Structure formats: C-alpha cells, structure tokens
Amino acid sequence: MSGNELLEVKDLSISYVTRDERIDAVRNVSLTLEKGSIHGLVGESGCGKSTLATIFLNLIYPPARLVGGSLRYFGGPSGEISVLELKAPELRRYRWKEVSMIFQGSMNSLNPVMRVYEQIIDAMIDHDYTFEEAMLRVDTLLELAGISKRVKNLYPHELSGGMKQRVNIAIALACEPKAIIADEPTTALDVVVQSQITRKLESLRRDLGLSILFISHDISLVGAIADKISVMYAGKIVEVGKAEEILNTPAHQYTIALLASIPTLKSVESRISGIPGHPPRLNTPITGCAFADRCSKAQNRCRTENPELESISGDHFAACFFPGGGSNS
Ligand SMILES: Nc1ncnc2c1ncn2[C@@H]1O[C@H](COP(=O)(O)OP(=O)(O)O)[C@@H](O)[C@H]1O
Ligand SMILES: [Mg+2]
C-alpha cells in the first residue's frame, strides 16, 4: 500500500447465476484507484469490465451474485470503510456523494420527459440538498461539464450525443464525489466529440482532484488519458502498470495483440479490426490461460497451468508465461 489509495478492490469474484447457466464474469480481481489519478480499465467487449464497475457503488443484484471479495474506500470523513458491509442509510450516503458513476450507454437513458436541470437536481435532492441549493448548483455543474447553462431547460431529445454525455458528467459531479467510475463514456460518439469528452474528464481530474476509473474497450483512448492501465481478459486482470509501460513495453500477449490491432494511418486500409476470435463466454471453468486459444505464442503450459500476475518490473505486473516480444518493446 502506498497510502495514496482511494478505492481498493481485493479478490473480487462476481458471477451471473441463472437456472440454465453460471457465468463467472469477474474472477479474483484486485484493483486500486489512487487519489487524483485516472486508472484505465481496458479489454474487449464481454471481458467483465461493466460487471467489475458495479462493485464501486455496490450495485450487485440478481442474477449477478457476489461470490467473494472486498472493497475498501479511504476517502470518507471517518477514515477507511468497507463498502460491501455498509447498511442501507450509509450506502445511500456513499453512493453519488463519495463515488459516482457514468453508466455504459447512459447517454441514451436520460429521462426523455424531464428537462436537463430536473435530472441534475434529482440526484442532489436524493442526497439531502434542498431544492434551492440544488437549483443554485445547476449552472456551476453545467459549466464544469463544459456546456452552456441555457441547456438546462431543454429535454434530452434536443441535445446532441456529446451534450447528453456532458449532462451525465454534470449528474455524476452533482453531489461532489471524490471518484467517478466512467464506463465507456465516449463509446458511440464520433472521434472529435470523443476526444473533447476525454479532455473534459482529464481537466476535471486536474481542477477538482477527482479520481477516475476510465473504462473502455479502446486501448488507444485509454492510453491517451490514463496514469495507470489495467488490462482485463475473460474476467481477470491480466496486466497492470503505468500507462507508458503498458503502451511501450507491453508484457501480456493479450495486451500486445490489443495494441497491434489499433489501426494506424498506414495500416488502416489493409488491417482487419481487432484480434481474430472472441473472448470466452465464461460459462464453463477455464483451465490454463484464457487467452491461449487466440495467442500466437501459446505453448502446452499455457493450456494446463494458470498464470498468476507476476512482477515484470517495479509495479508492472502481467499474468503470462511468455511475456513481451511485442512490436513496441
Ligand atoms: N445481466 C446479465 N446476465 C447474465 N450475464 C451477463 C449479464 N450482464 C453481463 N453478463 C455476462 O457477463 C460477461 C461480462 O459482461 P460485461 O461485464 O458486460 O463485460 P464488458 O463490460 O467488458 O463488455 C459477459 O459474458 C456477459 O454476457
Ligand atoms: Mg461494458
């Protein structure tokens, strides 16, 4: 522990359990979000990123089931708390006031019959702000999110995608949280708006000292904003380290493949997008490395033994028996 942690997930496992099957979406994940930092969580669709995100607000409801693990929060007024042990009233105070979230796809789930300001003050009134206090704060929040305060009287259908996402940022900031969990906050936006929203989050970190868990399937986007990056594959963190280490000297073959599949100007016409094949569905137990089937370096050992996270250098860790050798290293 460096003493700079804000949120610390330990040994977390979450499964979806239905009558027909059990999907082990998050498998023994540990992850730390440091104060005032941006931590990128990257991995292809279906790797368990959104399921992992639900732990930060303790939003695990059936068919999701918490199989094991803990979440500690170090930012509260009375020191360290175990979030998963909070009782309802304490949990209500923790959610949105300490840690808030921009949900995946939330751009399209703003309430269509409520004006922007109503949606913003809703969150605050739920958290002990008076109506007057909340109304006074709306303009500031819109300004922080980088949109004109005139937007407050509009309905969601009157806004562009980028503006809707800025409204979501304003909602996430409403109760002055110390951390925001941003799940694919720029997916479905065009490239220019994507970079505006990313820069906005970066400036909020700088100006408000926010901590941000920035979740995306796009490693180039995460690389542009994050201090640290965790790479998730098949429900596990397979590599973690400082962003520049992950980008320049990636160790896990999955990270190397993700980086190699970023289209470059030269390759954009010829290269197929993404890594061939798919992540496993996680409805049957996995023996060995989950990436072995798609990995060009896989040996017998990779199919029979389970690689654990091991130090590559300093605080750069990877769970790979044959690390490195990527084109960037
Ligand atoms: N409500 C659900 N019921 C059953 N399975 C689910 C549910 N939500 C997600 N899953 C499964 O959990 C796995 C991880 O999904 P998710 O956390 O959404 O990944 P990501 O955000 O990385 O795309 C996937 O196999 C997905 O199909
Ligand atoms: Mg997701």
Side-chain angles (χ1 to χ4, degrees):
M1 299 236 319
S2 67
N4 203 32
E5 295 84 0
L6 184 68
L7 285 157
E8 186 187 60
V9 174
K10 268 224 169 111
D11 283 330
L12 181 74
S13 297
I14 301 173
S15 298
Y16 293 98
V17 183
T18 60
R19 241 184 17 194
D20 310 320
E21 63 179 359
R22 171 195 173 111
I23 293 177
D24 296 325
V26 172
R27 306 186 293 141
N28 288 100
V29 163
S30 296
L31 185 147
T32 301
L33 179 60
E34 282 163 10
K35 289 176 183 157
S37 78
I38 300 183
H39 193 124
L41 177 64
V42 69
E44 290 161 290
S45 179
C47 284
K49 305 182 298 298
S50 295
T51 306
L52 170 57
T54 61
I55 198 67
F56 291 98
L57 293 192
N58 194 1
L59 291 170
I60 300 173
Y61 301 112
R65 188 182 289 177
L66 178 68
V67 178
S70 65
L71 169 63
R72 290 194 294 166
Y73 175 68
F74 300 93
S78 50
E80 174 189 332
I81 56 175
S82 289
V83 177
L84 306 186
E85 287 159 25
L86 292 179
K87 304 271 184 306
E90 296 148 9
L91 186 57
R92 200 179 67 89
R93 277 196 294 276
Y94 164 84
R95 287 178 180 156
W96 303 106
K97 270 193 155 174
E98 302 294 344
V99 179
S100 74
M101 188 148 169
I102 299 171
F103 291 92
Q104 179 166 4
S106 58
M107 222 167 71
N108 302 315
S109 59
L110 286 168
N111 188 327
V113 298
M114 277 167 81
R115 294 178 194 272
V116 163
Y117 82 86
E118 293 174 294
Q119 320 215 18
I120 297 175
I121 67 172
D122 228 31
M124 285 185 273
I125 289 169
D126 267 357
H127 284 86
D128 308 331
Y129 289 77
T130 65
F131 177 81
E132 289 72 24
E133 284 168 344
M135 279 306 284
L136 274 175
R137 210 167 136 64
V138 167
D139 289 0
T140 311
L141 288 167
L142 289 171
E143 196 182 311
L144 275 174
I147 23 175
S148 156
K149 57 188 180 193
R150 279 172 302 156
V151 163
K152 69 183 168 195
N153 288 314
L154 301 181
Y155 289 96
H157 75 266
E158 297 175 283
L159 306 178
S160 67
M163 284 158 94
K164 282 190 225 174
Q165 199 56 303
R166 286 174 192 273
V167 170
N168 273 315
I169 292 174
I171 293 173
L173 292 171
C175 302
E176 300 177 79
K178 299 205 176 59
I180 294 187
I181 311 303
D183 192 0
E184 306 269 5
T186 67
T187 305
L189 295 171
D190 69 55
V191 180
V192 174
V193 182
Q194 216 171 53
S195 93
Q196 289 167 349
I197 296 285
T198 310
R199 281 207 304 272
K200 182 79 243 170
L201 290 171
E202 212 170 14
S203 74
L204 290 171
R205 177 267 291 269
R206 197 180 52 235
D207 300 341
L208 305 178
L210 269 180
S211 308
I212 301 175
L213 183 68
F214 188 96
I215 304 175
S216 175
H217 63 280
D218 182 342
I219 195 168
S220 55
L221 194 67
V222 168
I225 183 175
D227 305 302
K228 270 189 151 188
I229 296 179
S230 288
V231 180
M232 194 164 183
Y233 188 73
K236 279 185 179 288
I237 303 295
V238 297
E239 181 160 4
V240 57
K242 291 195 187 74
E244 61 267 24
E245 287 170 338
I246 302 286
L247 299 174
N248 298 328
T249 52
H252 199 288
Q253 295 306 320
Y254 178 57
T255 313
I256 291 169
L258 277 181
L259 285 165
S261 67
I262 297 175
T264 61
L265 278 181
K266 256 200 263 165
S267 70
V268 77
E269 278 169 28
S270 59
R271 198 187 284 272
I272 43 157
S273 65
I275 308 166
H278 300 281
R281 269 207 76 223
L282 303 172
N283 55 350
T284 47
I286 292 171
T287 309
C289 171
F291 188 60
D293 285 350
R294 302 169 76 191
C295 178
S296 59
K297 287 207 169 172
Q299 312 277 324
N300 281 344
R301 183 180 181 198
C302 305
R303 299 192 175 85
T304 54
E305 280 178 57
N306 201 358
E308 299 289 341
L309 281 173
E310 280 179 23
S311 178
I312 300 290
S313 65
D315 53 4
H316 180 189
F317 289 81
C320 183
F321 292 127
F322 302 99
S327 55
N328 294 327
S329 60

